Structure formats: structure tokens, C-alpha cells
């Protein structure tokens, strides 16, 4: 071999060695940037400086940044973000490390003096993934405006008369302040006490899987819930506030409330109380159940009271929250609510059979008294190793007494049945439940382990007296007969349930993850229902045919796998498959027959999300779900508490299985604060549980049982659009939708289909004239169209039009006055008592005084024409039943009230 060739070979091997050594020496760096309260910061500019060059990275929505192929052993990293102080750190890495996780970096807020800069407008709306942020500095508010009134000026928000908060049709029930749970999650406390002057911005955060900060990262667009997070200004993070309200009016109306609150960036103390008989919610004590989109906004406005009956409510509660360690928080609360409800109404139901139509007219009065105690403990823990532990426990005790007095007239083509049904009951319902969530932290990106456990114990003790007296007439014979039904019902139900789920997520290749999931469900019911002749409630007088001692168990195991692919920021797609064996078992005591049902459900799931642009996205998802029958539907014993309508359960019922498809498209124009969303959902239910009705021969009595049916489906479409225009003084909001139900039932063993369309369209127009005038116009049209095919073709077409106008004018800094007026038109109901048109009008005069106008004197007139008492209307058209009902509501009164707010 020549000298030249030898040198060439040596040079090639040298290059290979140097290249391999350099490759081996290259390291991947990663770290996270957070603010002083532990929240990740997005879009921080991170620069890595070495002796040879400089590299740049930007943090993602989780505050994480990356550097690849870092060769230098010593380097410096600087962190820069507008509004924060620059942070700089020096690092030395160990030889041989392929991956280095750098210590967490905390950026602190900073102020900068910039000369010759003119700010013309604050950006009102910012979109960041599934978070919509409204900067309150972009909107104009009067001084001392509370958040409740401030939200009304922001597109998409609606506040009802009872204080409930809606955003584009979704009921918002969760609230946080600076990312900490605020007074047990009580949104009404936040909106009725926090001034907008204290608030920097508000965020609408969309949670997938209804689990914040502990999600597996696998999207589920059918389990969405919106959370309202309120970010306070830097100098307003320590709050002391309270209020005292008292009012008295005509017709015995009164209200009062008090509140003492302290909020210190996570540490809280609040004592709240209220009493009133004006159907008013002054706080909600943290009702955090999921918020669903409302099908119609007919009653979601400020003009009418949507609550049936007259409610007298007294409540008191205390909430204490304290930071535990650096990142954990313990919250405890107790509240007591006493509520008396008085409802009177009138209803008519027509049940059509082949050759027989049964009509039931009923007048009724109902009195209820509820005493409810609730104790809550909640630990929101972040451990030193970055694992997350959340534990929530609730103890509830409810004592409810009910008294009903019903006068009814039931008739068919040959018989009339007149009489009264009086029943009184006392329910004692203790409930205990616990939720535990544990999320394991891993250094490896996207690797997650999440475990959830829920257990619930529910006991019902019910003592009920039933007294029925009926006279039965024949239309062809003058004579009549009397029927009596006197029962004492002693009922004891013990319900226990448990749910356990484990999810492990493992990254696969560069843009994919797998989730392996196991879920176990268990339900157990031990129910005893003893029926006696209440005149002589001894064991020897037990009515055997109505008495039951029933045990029921439901078990479900589901094992599944989901694959998610996220190639870029625009596209996210997952597909999964699960196997779910279920088993149901029921047995009546001292009966040799057991009722068993087992099945295996194959459950595919898929979710797809695509961002057409930064502000336009599209989502589609499918999910299967199992629904077990209720105890009421399966217990195999006659229930003739209402002897005119006998109910018999079917222990051989199968569980339902639903297939649900949901699509959503959203578009934002942040600079103009415009938002549009449209949704379409399709639901098909296999083995739908439906009623099976038949008349008892030669009588006006009906008997109802249950069975499974095939062919049920429904679909729903709706849209939302809101936009300001004309220099933001005008704001337009439009919502609408169309629902279709292909409902099934059985009439005398024949399948019957009810086809029902429900159309709703709402328009709301708001106008503000500086600090002088605020006004709003509402219009809502709805149409309910239903058709039947057995025993003969029938069509129902109900239309309702609602229009309202309200305005509030400010005469000066201390005086204001306003009015609200609405008109409702009803047409198409079967019964004349439903086709009534109501005109409502409210008016008020307000005067503020004391320092910073902290006192408010208010004179109000509610329902001047006294027509709201006719507004409680309800109708249902299913199977062979046409049911229409009207209940009483709160009527006219005048009230003078005084409210004093204290803030520091």
C-alpha cells in the first residue's frame, strides 16, 4: 500500500472518530419557566450563550423550553419576557450526560420606563389555545362597578336574575382567583363582591376531561367544562371586603344578607349568611357541577324570575383556606341551608289508547321544607417531587319534609273518577363521598401516570303517608262507588358506588403518545319498601303485593388503549378502543328467582382537532357510553302510591349503550372582540329504556312498566355569534338552534314513535352611552313541533315569542333609575290555560352615598302588572301522553333595600 493511500485511510478514520466523538458529546437541555405563584409562562425568550455561538428557544404553553445538540460543557442561559425582570444563570454539565433537566426558573414582575410611547387601546381579547382572556382595561366601567355588572358589558356573558353566570350559553359554575379556588368555588360570591377596578383580566379556560392540571394530555371534546379565572391587579392581591344588605317590601317580602371576607393570595376566610323570600341567590356555596350549554335562552335574562313557586331561604356558611407548604392548599367549609317552597299549579294530561282516551285534570298544592348540612374538605397538593395529590371529601345530611294535596278528575269514554290524593313524607338522606386524584411526575416529556378514585355512600330513609279518596261514576249509570287507599310506606335504601381509573401515557416516536387505561365501576343497592295500612301499621297488616326487599348489583370493567398523534400545533388526532364487560344482578328476598344480565360492550372513541388558523379551529369526536337502569325502573313490585297510575319495574332490563358524535367549529377575531361557534351533535342509543303503558280494562287506571327498544336517536345543532360595532357602544349577540328527537315508547305492546323538532332563536342588542345610559333589547322565538303515529296521527305545534326592553340611566354620580319591560306570546298549546300572553314590568330608583359611594339605597317595583304568576309553564309530548302544566311564580311587590359594601 502506497504512502498516499495510507494517509488517506488514516485521515478518514480520524474524521469518523472526531464525528462520532462529537455526536456522542452532544446533549439535549430542557427546563421550565414559571412566575412567582407557580404558573408556567408562555413565549419567554431563552438564549443559550457559549464561547462559540448563541442559540434561542421559546417556552411553550407549559413554560417548557428545549435546546438540542449542545456541545459546550459550560454555558450561560438568559430568560427575557416583557413585563418581567431578566434572569441569567451559568451552568456546567457533567461529561457523558445525554439529557440534562435544568433547575426551574422563576421570573419576577418588573416595571420599565419607556419614553415617547402612546398607548391608544388595550387589546380587549386574547386567545391562547383553549383559553379566552378579556383584559378589563379595554372596557369602560363606572367607578365602584362590581364584576356582576361588569360582565354584562363583555360580549358573550349573561347574568340571570338569580346571579347565575353564562358564557355563550354555557353555565359557568367554577371560579378561581389568581388560579386559586375562591371561597369554595362560589362564583356568585366573586361576582357580587369583587369590583372591576381590582381586576386585571378574566380568563375563560376550557377543561377537557373536567380535570385541571392533571389531565393525561389525551383530548376528549365531549367532556368539556369552562372555568372562570379572575386575575387581580398586582396591588390588589390582599383583599378585605364585606357587605350588609337589608330590605323590606309589600306582600310580606323581605331580604337580608351579610358577608365578611378576607383573601390573601391563597389564604382565605369568609363568613356568609342570607335570608329572603324573593327567590334570590346571594351566594351559591360552591355549586361546581358541570356546565352544559343551554338549549334555549328564553328564561336566561334579567327580566323575569325563572323559579317556580315561592321560596323562603335562610343560609349561613363559613369557608377557610390556608396554604400548606410552598405549593399546597387546604380548604374547608361548612354551610347550612333551610329552604321552604310553596308551589301551586294546574295540569292536564291526555293519554290516548286504541278505542280509549284517558284525560286527567289536576289541581295541586305542594309544600316542601329542606334542611341541608354540608361539610367539605379539599386538599390541593403539589409535592416536592412535583407529583400532584388532590383529595376532596364531602359529608351531606338532608332532611326533607313534603306535603302534597291533589284534587283530580280522571275520565274516559264511559267513566269519571273524582277525588283527592294527600300524601306526606319525611326523607332523611345522609351522603358521604370522597374523590382522590394522584398524578405522577416524570422527567420524560409527555409520560404521565394518573390515578382517580371515587367512593360514594347514599342512604335514604323515607316515611310516607298516602290517603286517597275517590268516587267512581259511570256515564251511563247514576250510581257511584267510593274507593279508598290508605298506605303507610316505610322505605330504606342504601346505595353504594365506587369508581377507580388508572391511566398511563407513554410517548411514542416524535409526535405520538399511547394511553393505556383501566376503569372499574361498582354500584350496589339494598332497598326495602314495606307498605302497611296506615290506620293500623302493624307487621300483620303488611300489604305483601306492594312490599319488596330487593338487592341489586352492577359491575363494569373497561380496558382500553388510545393513540394520539400531534404532528404540529395545528393538528391533534386520537383514536382508541376499549372492551367493557358489564354484569347486573338483582334478587328479591325470599324469592328463588334471580335476575341476571351480562354483556360485553366494544367501545371505540376518536377525537380530531385542527386549527385552520391561529383563531379558527374545528373539532370532531365520538364516544360510546354505558347507562344502567335506575332502581325505580327495575324493582319487580307494583307501586300504587298513586292508584290511578300503577308502576311496575322490569328486572330484566338491559343497560343502554349510547353512541355520541359531536362537532364544533369556532372562530375568533380578538382585535374586534368577535366570536362565532357552531355545534352539531348526534346521539344513537342501543337498547333505549322506554315506557310500556296500557290501560286497566273498564277503568281510568293506567299501568306503566319499562322495556328496551331499538331505534332511538336525536341530533342537535346550535350556533353563537357576538360582536360589538359602532365604536363598541353597540353589542350584538345571537344564538339559535334546532333539535330533533326520534323518541320511542310502547302503547299496549305496540311500538310508538314520537318525532319532535324544537327550534329556538335569540337576539340580544346592548347599547351604552358613555357613563349616562345602559340599555338592552331581547327577542326570543321558539317552536316545538311534535308528531305521533299510534293510535292515530297527531301533530302539535307550539310557538312562543318573547321580547324585552330594559334601560338604566345615571342622573349624576349618585342617582340612577331604570326599568325592564317584556311581552310574551304563546300559541299552539292544546289547552287554553297555556295560551296566555304576559306583560311584565319592573322599575327601580337607586341612590348611592357615603365615602366612595359604598352605600346603596334602592326602591324597586317588581312585576307591576302582577302577571309573572302565570309564567311557570311546562309541556311534554312523549309516547301517548300530551302533558301541559302551569305553576305559580313570584308576583308583584314593592321593596326598599339598603346595601353597604366594605372594601380594603
Amino acid at each position: 500500500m502506497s504512502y498516499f493511500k495510507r494517509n488517506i485511510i488514516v485521515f478518514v478514520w480520524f474524521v469518523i472518530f472526531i464525528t462520532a466523538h462529537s455526536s456522542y458529546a452532544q446533549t439535549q437541555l430542557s427546563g421550565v419557566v414559571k412566575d412567582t405563584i407557580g404558573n408556567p409562562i408562555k413565549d419567554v425568550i431563552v438564549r443559550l450563550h457559549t464561547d462559540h455561538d448563541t442559540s434561542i428557544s421559546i417556552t411553550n404553553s407549559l413554560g417548557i423550553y428545549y435546546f438540542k445538540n449542545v456541545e459546550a460543557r459550560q454555558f450561560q442561559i438568559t430568560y427575557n419576557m416583557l413585563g418581567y425582570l431578566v434572569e441569567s444563570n451559568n451552568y456546567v454539565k457533567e461529561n457523558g450526560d445525554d439529557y440534562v433537566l435544568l433547575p426551574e426558573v422563576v421570573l419576577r414582575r418588573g416595571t420599565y420606563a419607556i419614553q415617547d410611547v402612546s398607548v391608544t387601546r388595550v387589546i380587549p381579547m386574547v386567545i391562547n389555545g383553549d383559553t379566552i382572556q378579556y383584559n378589563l382595561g379595554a372596557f369602560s366601567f363606572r367607578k365602584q362597578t362590581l364584576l356582576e355588572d361588569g360582565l354584562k358589558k363583555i360580549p358573550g356573558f349573561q347574568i340571570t336574575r338569580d346571579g347565575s353566570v353564562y358564557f355563550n350559553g354555557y353555565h359557568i359554575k367554577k371560579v378561581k382567583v389568581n388560579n386559586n379556588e375562591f371561597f369554595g368555588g362560589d362564583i356568585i360570591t366573586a361576582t357580587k363582591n369583587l369590583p372591576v377596578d381590582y381586576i386585571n383580566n378574566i380568563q375563560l379556560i376550557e377543561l377537557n376531561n373536567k380535570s385541571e392540571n392533571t389531565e393525561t394530555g389525551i383530548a376528549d371534546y365531549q367532556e368539556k367544562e369552562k372555568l372562570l379565572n379572575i386575575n387581580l391587579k398586582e396591588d390588589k392581591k390582599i383583599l378585605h371586603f364585606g357587605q350588609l344588605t337589608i330590605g323590606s317590601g309589600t306582600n310580606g317580602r323581605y331580604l337580608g344578607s351579610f358577608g365578611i371576607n378576607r383573601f390573601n393570595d391563597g389564604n382565605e376566610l369568609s363568613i356568609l349568611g342570607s335570608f329572603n323570600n324573593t327567590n334570590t341567590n346571594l351566594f351559591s356555596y360552591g355549586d361546581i357541577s358541570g356546565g352544559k350549554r343551554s338549549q334555549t335562552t328564553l328564561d336566561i335574562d334579567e327580566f323575569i324570575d325563572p323559579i317556580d313557586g315561592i321560596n323562603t331561604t335562610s343560609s349561613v356558611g363559613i369557608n377557610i383556606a390556608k396554604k400548606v407548604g410552598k405549593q399546597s392548599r387546604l380548604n374547608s367549609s361548612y354551610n347550612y341551608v333551610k329552604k321552604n317552597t310553596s308551589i301551586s299549579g294546574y295540569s292536564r294530561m291526555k293519554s290516548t289508547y286504541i278505542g280509549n282516551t284517558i284525560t286527567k285534570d289536576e289541581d295541586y298544592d305542594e309544600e316542601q321544607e329542606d334542611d341541608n348540612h354540608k361539610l367539605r374538605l379539599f386538599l390541593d397538593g403539589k409535592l416536592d417531587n412535583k407529583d400532584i395529590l388532590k383529595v376532596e371529601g364531602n359529608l351531606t345530611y338532608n332532611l326533607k319534609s313534603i306535603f302534597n294535596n291533589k284534587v283530580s278528575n280522571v275520565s274516559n269514554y264511559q267513566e269519571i273518577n273524582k277525588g283527592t290524593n294527600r300524601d306526606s313524607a319525611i326523607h332523611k338522606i345522609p351522603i358521604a363521598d370522597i374523590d382522590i386524584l394522584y398524578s405522577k411526575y416524570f422527567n420524560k416529556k409527555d409520560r404521565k401516570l394518573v390515578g382517580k378514585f371515587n367512593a360514594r355512600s347514599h342512604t335514604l330513609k323515607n316515611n310516607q303517608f298516602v290517603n286517597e279518596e275517590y268516587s267512581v261514576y259511570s256515564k251511563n249509570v247514576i250510581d257511584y262507588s267510593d274507593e279508598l287507599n290508605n298506605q303507610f310506606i316505610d322505605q330504606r335504601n342504601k346505595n353504594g358506588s365506587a369508581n377507580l381509573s388508572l391511566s398511563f401515557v407513554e410517548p411514542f416516536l416524535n409526535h405520538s403518545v399511547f394511553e393505556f387505561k383501566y376503569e372499574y365501576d361498582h354500584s350496589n343497592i339494598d332497598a326495602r319498601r314495606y307498605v302497611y295500612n296506615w290506620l293500623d301499621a302493624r307487621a300483620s297488616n303488611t300489604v305483601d303485593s306492594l312490599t319488596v326487599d330487593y338487592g341489586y348489583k352492577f359491575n363494569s370493567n373497561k380496558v382500553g388503549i388510545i393513540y394520539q398523534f400531534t404532528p404540529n400545533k395545528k393538528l391533534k388526532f386520537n383514536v382508541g378502543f376499549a372492551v367493557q364487560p358489564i354484569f347486573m344482578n338483582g334478587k328479591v328476598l325470599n324469592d328463588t328467582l334471580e335476575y341476571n344480565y351480562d354483556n360485553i360492550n366494544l367501545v371505540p372513541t376518536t377525537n380530531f382537532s385542527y386549527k385552520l388558523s391561529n383563531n379558527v379551529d374545528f373539532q370532531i369526536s365520538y364516544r360510546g357510553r354505558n347507562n344502567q337502569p335506575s332502581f325505580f325502573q327495575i324493582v319487580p313490585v307494583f307501586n300504587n302510591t298513586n292508584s290511578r297510575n300503577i308502576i311496575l319495574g322490569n328486572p330484566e332490563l338491559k343497560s343502554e349503550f349510547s353512541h355520541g358524535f359531536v362537532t364544533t367549529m369556532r372562530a375568533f377575531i380578538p382585535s374586534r372582540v368577535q366570536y362565532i361557534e357552531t355545534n352539531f351533535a348526534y346521539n344513537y342509543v342501543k337498547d333505549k329504556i322506554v315506557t310500556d303503558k296500557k290501560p286497566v280494562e273498564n277503568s281510568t287506571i293506567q299501568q306503566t312498566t319499562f322495556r328496551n327498544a331499538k331505534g332511538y336517536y336525536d341530533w342537535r345543532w346550535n350556533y353563537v355569534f357576538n360582536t360589538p360595532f359602532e365604536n363598541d357602544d353597540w353589542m350584538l349577540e345571537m344564538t339559535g338552534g334546532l333539535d330533533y328527537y326520534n323518541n320511542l315508547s310502547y302503547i299496549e305492546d305496540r311500538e310508538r314513535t314520537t318525532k319532535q323538532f324544537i327550534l329556538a332563536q335569540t337576539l340580544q342588542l346592548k347599547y351604552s352611552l358613555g357613563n349616562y345610559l345602559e340599555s338592552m333589547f331581547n327577542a326570543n322565538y321558539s317552536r316545538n313541533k311534535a308528531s305521533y303515529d299510534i293510535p292515530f296521527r297527531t301533530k302539535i305545534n307550539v310557538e312562543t315569542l318573547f321580547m324585552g326592553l330594559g334601560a338604566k340611566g345615571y342622573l349624576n354620580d349618585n342617582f340612577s333609575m331604570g326599568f325592564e319591560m317584556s311581552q310574551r306570546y304563546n300559541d299552539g298549546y292544546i289547552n287554553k290555560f297555556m295560551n296566555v300572553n304576559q306583560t311584565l314590568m319592573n322599575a327601580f330608583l337607586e341612590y348611592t352615598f357615603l365615602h366612595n359611594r359604598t352605600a346603596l339605597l334602592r326602591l324597586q317595583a317588581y312585576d307591576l302588572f302582577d302577571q309573572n304568576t302565570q309564567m311557570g309553564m311546562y309541556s311534554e309530548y312523549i309516547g301517548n301522553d300530551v302533558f301541559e302544566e302551569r305553576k305559580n311564580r313570584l308576583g308583584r311587590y314593592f321593596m326598599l333595600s339598603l346595601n353597604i359594601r366594605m372594601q380594603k
Side-chain angles (χ1 to χ4, degrees):
M1 183 179 296
S2 67
Y3 178 80
F4 177 78
K5 289 184 177 180
R6 286 199 305 269
N7 286 340
I8 291 294
I9 293 173
V10 170
F11 177 78
V12 171
W13 277 106
F14 178 79
V15 171
I16 293 174
F17 174 78
I18 293 299
T19 304
H21 184 269
S22 298
S23 176
Y24 177 78
Q26 291 174 348
T27 303
Q28 178 178 346
L29 304 178
S30 177
V32 63
V33 182
K34 295 184 177 180
D35 60 18
T36 54
I37 61 175
N39 295 321
I41 308 177
K42 183 185 177 185
D43 296 333
V44 178
I45 299 176
V46 184
R47 291 183 173 88
L48 184 147
H49 307 276
T50 67
D51 294 337
H52 304 290
D53 60 5
T54 298
S55 302
I56 297 177
S57 178
I58 299 177
T59 59
N60 60 19
S61 59
L62 299 177
I64 300 173
Y65 62 91
Y66 302 93
F67 289 102
K68 296 182 178 180
N69 303 327
V70 179
E71 301 179 14
R73 185 168 177 266
Q74 297 182 359
F75 50 88
Q76 182 187 57
I77 298 182
T78 60
Y79 307 86
N80 193 300
M81 179 70 177
L82 184 63
Y84 293 86
L85 297 176
V86 177
E87 184 76 16
S88 180
N89 295 317
N90 295 312
Y91 300 97
V92 178
K93 68 182 180 70
E94 299 293 333
N95 290 328
D97 288 343
D98 296 329
Y99 178 84
V100 175
L101 178 65
L102 299 175
E104 180 181 290
V105 174
V106 177
L107 296 186
R108 291 171 173 78
R109 290 279 185 179
T111 57
Y112 302 88
I114 304 177
Q115 296 181 354
D116 301 328
V117 175
S118 176
V119 179
T120 58
R121 184 183 180 187
V122 178
I123 297 176
M125 181 182 185
V126 179
I127 309 298
N128 184 5
D130 290 328
T131 299
I132 305 174
Q133 177 175 302
Y134 292 96
N135 299 315
L136 296 194
F139 302 89
S140 61
F141 304 102
R142 290 179 61 87
K143 291 183 178 181
Q144 301 298 319
T145 298
L146 296 177
L147 181 59
E148 181 179 53
D149 294 319
L151 289 177
K152 297 175 184 178
K153 301 191 71 172
I154 299 177
F157 279 95
Q158 287 180 306
I159 312 297
T160 66
R161 180 174 293 279
D162 67 357
S164 299
V165 179
Y166 288 80
F167 178 75
N168 288 327
Y170 288 99
H171 194 180
I172 310 299
K173 294 188 176 181
K174 285 187 176 182
V175 65
K176 289 191 172 185
V177 173
N178 291 344
N179 291 302
N180 288 316
E181 187 181 78
F182 183 77
F183 296 112
D186 182 29
I187 193 168
I188 293 181
T189 300
T191 58
K192 287 185 177 293
N193 287 280
L194 290 178
V196 295
D197 294 341
Y198 287 18
I199 301 171
N200 184 32
N201 60 63
I202 59 173
Q203 296 173 321
L204 266 298
I205 303 173
E206 188 170 273
L207 307 176
N208 294 329
N209 296 318
K210 298 183 180 179
S211 181
E212 186 190 15
N213 296 330
T214 55
E215 296 179 359
T216 60
I218 306 297
D220 185 349
Y221 299 120
Q222 295 195 28
E223 284 290 336
K224 295 191 295 186
E225 183 173 310
K226 292 187 184 295
L227 176 147
L228 179 66
N229 182 52
I230 303 167
N231 291 311
L232 301 176
K233 295 178 180 178
E234 287 295 324
D235 59 343
K236 301 294 184 182
K237 290 187 175 182
I238 300 178
L239 302 177
H240 298 79
F241 60 92
Q243 65 86 27
L244 175 66
T245 302
I246 190 167
S248 179
T250 60
N251 294 330
R253 300 288 162 239
Y254 61 86
L255 65 85
S257 70
F258 66 89
I260 302 172
N261 310 280
R262 184 178 188 273
F263 182 81
N264 184 2
D265 199 19
N267 295 319
E268 302 173 8
L269 172 64
S270 66
I271 302 174
L272 306 172
S274 74
F275 54 92
N276 73 89
N277 62 355
T278 58
N279 294 3
T280 304
N281 287 337
L282 300 176
F283 47 90
S284 60
Y285 287 119
D287 180 8
I288 56 173
S289 58
K292 298 292 185 181
R293 179 182 294 282
S294 174
Q295 291 186 351
T296 175
T297 54
L298 180 63
D299 285 346
I300 300 178
D301 53 66
E302 300 178 70
F303 298 155
I304 61 176
D305 173 23
I307 302 174
D308 292 329
I310 306 298
N311 299 283
T312 302
T313 306
S314 300
S315 50
V316 64
I318 183 171
N319 186 85
I320 302 174
K322 188 172 182 61
K323 286 185 176 180
V324 180
K326 295 181 179 180
Q327 302 183 77
S328 299
R329 195 164 179 261
L330 180 64
N331 188 303
S332 60
S333 64
Y334 166 77
N335 64 72
Y336 168 71
V337 179
K338 183 180 182 63
K339 183 177 181 180
N340 294 308
T341 303
S342 178
I343 299 177
S344 61
Y346 176 80
S347 68
R348 171 173 288 180
M349 185 172 70
K350 181 180 290 187
S351 304
T352 306
Y353 298 94
I354 298 176
N356 186 13
T357 299
I358 300 176
T359 302
K360 181 179 181 180
D361 294 316
E362 188 170 75
D363 284 287
Y364 59 88
D365 294 289
E366 179 179 316
E367 299 287 338
Q368 290 189 18
E369 181 174 310
D370 279 276
D371 286 271
N372 194 76
H373 302 261
K374 183 176 181 180
L375 176 66
R376 176 178 182 256
L377 293 173
F378 176 57
L379 172 65
D380 187 355
K382 295 180 181 179
L383 309 183
D384 292 339
N385 61 358
K386 299 183 181 181
D387 291 357
I388 295 175
L389 174 65
K390 294 188 176 184
V391 181
E392 180 176 359
N394 292 281
L395 291 175
T396 303
Y397 180 77
N398 178 247
L399 177 63
K400 176 184 290 188
S401 61
I402 303 173
F403 175 77
N404 291 308
N405 183 44
K406 302 176 183 179
V407 179
S408 61
N409 186 334
V410 186
S411 63
N412 61 9
Y413 69 98
Q414 64 178 5
E415 186 176 282
I416 299 175
N417 189 316
K418 293 183 179 181
T420 60
N421 181 327
R422 301 182 184 90
D423 70 84
S424 60
I426 297 177
H427 303 314
K428 297 178 181 179
I429 310 174
I431 302 174
D433 64 79
I434 186 170
D435 286 278
I436 301 175
L437 184 146
Y438 185 81
S439 179
K440 176 65 180 174
Y441 173 81
F442 295 95
N443 290 330
K444 187 173 182 180
K445 182 179 179 293
D446 291 332
R447 176 180 288 174
K448 295 183 180 181
L449 176 63
V450 179
K452 300 178 183 179
F453 175 76
N454 169 264
R456 178 182 174 91
S457 175
H458 179 191
T459 302
L460 168 65
K461 298 180 180 180
N462 176 34
N463 292 326
Q464 183 176 2
F465 290 88
V466 177
N467 179 15
E468 290 186 317
E469 299 177 1
Y470 290 103
S471 297
V472 181
Y473 300 82
S474 174
K475 293 183 178 180
N476 301 320
V477 180
I478 299 177
D479 198 11
Y480 68 92
S481 61
D482 291 330
E483 295 184 4
L484 302 176
N485 178 25
N486 299 312
Q487 296 180 10
F488 170 69
I489 301 169
D490 182 10
Q491 184 176 350
R492 300 287 188 273
N493 287 5
K494 294 182 179 180
N495 301 346
S497 64
N499 174 273
L500 173 67
S501 68
L502 294 172
S503 293
F504 179 70
V505 180
E506 180 66 21
F508 177 72
L509 298 178
N510 292 328
H511 305 289
S512 305
V513 294
F514 278 101
E515 179 187 16
F516 304 91
K517 186 171 184 178
Y518 169 75
E519 186 171 355
Y520 172 74
D521 272 302
H522 171 77
S523 298
N524 183 76
I525 297 177
D526 183 10
R528 297 184 296 112
R529 184 176 186 271
Y530 291 91
V531 181
Y532 306 87
N533 182 329
W534 70 271
L535 298 177
D536 188 5
R538 293 178 299 178
S540 58
N541 287 322
T542 303
V543 184
D544 293 335
S545 61
L546 304 177
T547 296
V548 62
D549 193 334
Y550 187 75
Y552 167 75
K553 292 181 180 180
F554 173 87
N555 289 294
S556 168
N557 292 273
K558 185 164 69 173
V559 180
I561 183 172
I562 300 176
Y563 169 74
Q564 180 165 286
F565 178 61
T566 313
N568 49 53
K569 294 182 179 180
K570 291 186 175 182
L571 176 65
K572 181 179 288 187
F573 170 75
N574 66 54
V575 60
F577 186 80
V579 178
Q580 183 186 34
I582 62 173
F583 175 74
M584 297 166 56
N585 170 264
K587 187 178 187 305
V588 178
L589 185 66
N590 300 323
D591 193 341
T592 58
L593 184 62
E594 286 194 19
Y595 304 95
N596 297 311
Y597 169 71
D598 58 85
N599 190 29
I600 296 179
N601 292 321
L602 305 179
V603 188
T605 60
T606 184
N607 293 275
F608 174 86
S609 174
Y610 182 71
K611 293 182 71 68
L612 303 175
S613 68
N614 289 334
N615 298 321
V616 180
D617 63 71
F618 172 76
Q619 300 171 356
I620 184 171
S621 67
Y622 161 78
R623 189 174 67 169
R625 180 180 297 175
N626 184 79
N627 301 312
Q628 59 173 309
S630 67
F631 170 77
F632 179 74
Q633 294 169 326
I634 60 177
V635 61
V637 174
F638 284 103
N639 181 346
N640 72 339
T641 304
N642 181 350
S643 61
R644 309 299 97 179
N645 186 12
I646 301 173
I647 298 174
L648 175 65
N650 178 7
E652 297 182 357
L653 280 178
K654 303 175 183 178
S655 61
E656 300 177 344
F657 191 80
S658 62
H659 303 267
F661 297 86
V662 178
T663 64
T664 302
M665 177 172 280
R666 302 180 299 179
F668 311 85
I669 305 179
S671 61
R672 301 183 62 183
V673 203
Q674 290 182 330
Y675 177 84
I676 185 170
E677 176 182 334
T678 182
N679 297 269
F680 179 80
Y682 174 81
N683 187 45
Y684 173 79
V685 182
K686 177 185 176 184
D687 295 323
K688 176 72 173 177
I689 298 174
V690 301
T691 58
D692 185 355
K693 297 179 65 178
K694 64 180 180 181
V696 176
E697 188 175 357
N698 297 324
S699 74
T700 57
I701 300 173
Q702 301 178 75
Q703 181 175 310
T704 302
T705 187
F706 307 92
R707 64 192 295 178
N708 297 104
K710 298 179 180 179
Y712 173 90
Y713 66 91
D714 60 66
W715 54 260
R716 299 175 300 280
W717 169 80
N718 59 68
Y719 78 93
V720 174
F721 173 68
N722 50 65
T723 179
F725 58 95
E726 293 293 332
N727 298 323
D728 298 342
D729 292 334
W730 295 84
M731 186 164 60
L732 173 68
E733 300 184 15
M734 297 177 62
T735 61
L738 179 63
D739 299 351
Y740 172 75
Y741 299 89
N742 193 73
N743 221 327
L744 304 174
S745 62
Y746 280 84
I747 311 299
E748 298 178 281
D749 293 325
R750 297 177 62 187
E751 186 181 90
R752 176 169 182 160
T753 302
T754 302
K755 298 179 179 180
Q756 187 173 17
F757 288 91
I758 300 177
L759 170 69
Q761 175 63 55
T762 299
L763 179 146
Q764 185 177 90
L765 188 63
K766 298 180 181 179
Y767 173 71
S768 299
L769 179 61
N771 290 327
Y772 304 102
L773 177 68
E774 297 172 359
S775 61
M776 178 172 61
F777 171 75
N778 273 2
N780 181 288
Y781 172 78
S782 66
R783 183 176 183 181
N784 187 342
K785 185 177 181 180
S787 61
Y788 310 84
D789 57 2
I790 293 177
F792 51 82
R793 294 191 178 277
T794 304
K795 291 186 177 181
I796 294 173
N797 189 6
V798 176
E799 295 178 286
T800 299
L801 175 64
F802 172 89
M803 292 186 295
L805 177 65
K808 182 176 183 179
Y810 298 90
L811 305 180
N812 55 36
D813 289 341
N814 299 96
F815 278 98
S816 63
M817 61 186 303
F819 76 95
E820 302 162 345
M821 189 169 185
S822 64
Q823 179 68 51
R824 179 170 176 168
Y825 301 93
N826 301 306
D827 186 55
Y829 287 104
I830 301 299
N831 298 292
K832 292 183 178 180
F833 67 83
M834 299 286 285
N835 292 314
V836 292
N837 303 320
Q838 300 97 350
T839 303
L840 304 180
M841 184 173 180
N842 309 323
F844 59 90
L845 177 66
E846 295 177 341
Y847 172 67
T848 58
F849 57 101
L850 297 185
H851 179 65
N852 288 330
R853 300 194 292 274
T854 55
L856 170 67
L857 190 65
R858 177 183 174 97
L859 175 64
Q860 72 177 90
Y862 178 79
D863 190 19
L864 280 169
F865 306 130
D866 200 23
Q867 294 192 16
N868 188 55
T869 54
Q870 306 179 61
M871 291 287 286
M873 294 188 219
Y874 176 77
S875 61
E876 188 175 77
Y877 312 108
I878 296 179
N880 67 329
D881 292 336
V882 174
F883 178 79
E884 294 178 344
E885 178 184 38
R886 196 174 74 192
K887 298 180 180 180
N888 71 314
R889 286 186 175 178
L890 189 64
R892 177 173 54 204
Y893 68 87
F894 299 86
M895 177 169 286
L896 180 65
S897 61
L898 173 66
N899 171 256
I900 300 177
R901 296 205 317 270
M902 298 160 284
Q903 296 172 352
K904 180 180 179 181

